[in-house]
Amino acid sequence: MAGFALEGVKVLDLSRVLAGPWCTQILADFGADVLKIEAPGAGDDTRSWGPPYLTGPDDMPGEKGESGYYLSANRNKRSVAVNLADPRGADLIRRLAAEADIVVENFKLGGLKKYGLDYASLSAINPRLVYTSITGFGQTGPYADRAGYDFVAQAMGGLMSITGEKDGPPLKAGVAITDLSTGMYAATSTLMALRHAERTGEGQHVDVSLLDTQIAMLANQALTYLVGGYSPGRLGNAHPTVVPYRLFPTSDGEIVIAVGNNGQFRQLVAVLGAPEMADDPRYVGNGERVINRDTLEPTLDALTRTWDGTELTNALLAKGVPAGPVNSVGDILTDEFAEARGTVHHFDRGDGAKVPSVAYPGKLSATPATFRRMPPRVGEHSRSALAEWLHLSDTELDALAEAGVIADRADLLARTKQGEHA
């Protein structure tokens, strides 16, 4: 893996669902060796979060295939199925942690302590270990004992209060944006702690929570309260402090027009055939446009409504005014932009199934993200990864498998085939 930004970094991934796996997928995309530790059998909760499911000829009887949800956050990892409830399984994890640079976990507060896999226990074994805990509400504070999900954090963290139509109910975002943001903050924080550990040999505990992240992601809306002393509300697709900046009607649908400065506003009204509006005292600056949005926006609506959406978009773009269509998910994934930027990657699973993935968005010129491994099946690498990290012999691995401490997909496939031919 020469040339990878995280070449040689070993990550023990004890997380599941989205925030944790999103963090470790980022690390894996840049060359870290990520072992995804899963419970034998069902594995990560999201494996069953479908439909849709991706199926293939080598699915075992009773398997649904891999859910699209699971596939979105687990590429470039190896799956090791270990029974943590068995003391021998917990001991395997401790031995892996002794070899690891990073542990990422998202168990409920204290959930790993009973297995001897908490930060205090593992850092005693490996003082240079970066141990990242992702929870709903953090390791401290009044809500630390609560379980947390993205939806709850969006609600409690203020996001839903500013999302939706002005007179409508609060709405969550269309993706688990708090989970995803938490995963990104966790990856950034982990890498900063890793840099410190590489310089000093000192590991640390990284505490990242959904609610902390969601509050931070309020950004300018949080400062509206802290500076202005009032809580912002819902404005639908409008912007609280930039006007015009929302959806506008056309003869065949709606488009986005996003005017960020006075020059763009002047170009907008010129394209719409009303250049005099740029000199109207009510609209001459952004502050005036925000105050007078109730008269400005209906006037603009009436003008844009007479245009074909594509023609207006192109006319505005030609004059440097940001504008665009409201695409469906399918529209953007098949857009020429996605093709040119390599947005969608397909793995060939070997059984004829193509496994799609959405690429890491950052384009690094010297150490780019790479897509080496498709998201693994449960226990797909149990034997090979344990043999590599811990130098376990076939005899030792056989004994662990027979005792139910580990499960290996290859073993299960072999037993299935033996049953078919019995």
Side-chain angles (χ1 to χ4, degrees):
M1 296 196 299
F4 292 175
L6 298 179
E7 177 186 0
V9 174
K10 292 184 175 181
V11 180
L12 192 57
D13 183 2
L14 303 179
S15 70
R16 66 273 189 214
V17 187
L18 187 54
W22 198 253
C23 166
T24 53
Q25 179 169 264
I26 292 171
L27 303 179
D29 283 351
F30 287 91
D33 183 8
V34 177
L35 299 191
K36 181 178 179 68
I37 307 301
E38 302 188 77
D44 191 311
D45 298 356
T46 61
R47 289 181 180 275
S48 65
W49 285 12
Y53 298 100
L54 182 72
T55 58
D58 72 347
D59 291 331
M60 290 188 292
E63 284 188 327
K64 295 180 180 178
E66 306 297 318
S67 74
Y69 200 121
Y70 166 77
L71 294 174
S72 74
N74 288 285
R75 66 169 170 255
N76 285 332
K77 306 175 187 178
R78 294 190 284 175
S79 173
V80 177
V82 179
N83 180 6
L84 295 185
D86 189 307
R88 292 166 294 181
D91 183 61
L92 275 180
I93 301 303
R94 281 189 289 275
R95 293 171 65 186
L96 290 169
E99 302 298 320
D101 301 288
I102 295 166
V103 167
V104 177
E105 61 92 9
N106 62 350
F107 281 69
K108 189 177 177 182
L109 181 68
L112 287 174
K113 187 173 184 179
K114 62 184 176 183
Y115 303 121
L117 302 176
D118 56 313
Y119 172 66
S121 299
L122 295 188
S123 63
I125 298 170
N126 182 357
R128 62 181 176 79
L129 184 67
V130 174
Y131 187 107
T132 298
S133 294
I134 300 173
T135 57
F137 301 96
Q139 300 295 301
T140 60
Y143 308 143
D145 289 331
R146 297 185 186 182
Y149 274 99
D150 172 274
F151 192 12
V152 176
Q154 287 197 40
M156 292 183 66
L159 180 61
M160 290 177 62
S161 76
I162 55 174
T163 305
E165 294 300 326
K166 184 174 182 179
D167 299 320
L171 291 176
K172 69 177 181 66
V175 295
I177 192 67
T178 308
D179 267 341
L180 297 172
S181 300
T182 302
M184 289 189 286
Y185 270 112
T188 303
S189 302
T190 297
L191 290 173
M192 286 189 278
L194 179 64
R195 174 67 175 135
H196 175 77
E198 290 173 339
R199 288 201 322 268
T200 68
E202 177 187 38
Q204 60 185 292
H205 194 186
V206 178
D207 172 8
V208 185
S209 84
L210 299 182
L211 190 55
D212 282 316
T213 297
Q214 183 49 67
I215 294 169
M217 292 293 288
L218 291 174
N220 59 296
Q221 295 284 47
L223 270 292
T224 293
Y225 176 79
L226 294 174
V227 173
Y230 62 91
S231 292
R234 292 184 291 283
L235 289 172
N237 289 302
H239 195 288
T241 56
V242 182
V243 174
Y245 198 101
R246 64 168 175 81
L247 288 177
F248 285 89
T250 68
S251 62
D252 59 345
E254 293 178 305
I255 66 169
V256 167
I257 300 174
V259 170
N261 58 54
N262 294 337
Q264 291 174 354
F265 181 70
R266 186 172 291 277
Q267 292 293 341
L268 167 66
V269 294
V271 168
L272 294 176
E276 69 281 359
M277 291 179 67
D279 298 314
D280 189 318
R282 296 173 297 172
Y283 314 136
V284 71
N286 181 70
E288 289 79 11
R289 293 193 291 273
V290 171
I291 293 169
N292 294 293
R293 74 164 78 221
D294 289 345
T295 58
L296 172 60
E297 290 181 336
T299 302
L300 295 177
D301 284 347
L303 294 171
T304 62
R305 204 183 301 274
T306 64
W307 285 72
D308 169 85
T310 300
E311 290 178 358
L312 178 55
T313 298
N314 290 337
L316 292 173
L317 292 175
K319 295 297 183 179
V321 179
V326 182
N327 286 328
S328 69
V329 173
D331 289 337
I332 191 56
L333 289 178
T334 55
D335 190 272
E336 61 181 346
F337 174 90
E339 175 66 26
R341 298 287 286 174
T343 301
V344 178
H345 176 83
H346 285 89
F347 295 98
D348 185 350
R349 198 166 67 184
D351 62 355
K354 296 291 185 181
V355 182
S357 194
V358 176
Y360 181 86
K363 315 297 183 186
L364 281 70
S365 62
T367 56
T370 59
F371 312 115
R372 309 172 307 284
R373 294 190 179 102
M374 67 196 75
R377 305 291 187 90
V378 178
E380 184 175 342
H381 307 96
S382 294
R383 282 180 172 267
S384 60
L386 290 172
E388 181 181 324
W389 275 41
L390 302 181
H391 309 293
L392 297 182
S393 67
D394 287 341
T395 300
E396 291 172 305
L397 291 167
D398 287 342
L400 290 170
E402 287 295 325
V405 178
I406 66 170
D408 184 86
R409 182 175 173 80
D411 291 344
L412 296 175
L413 283 169
R415 289 172 194 156
T416 299
K417 291 178 181 178
Q418 287 175 359
E420 290 173 351
H421 297 295

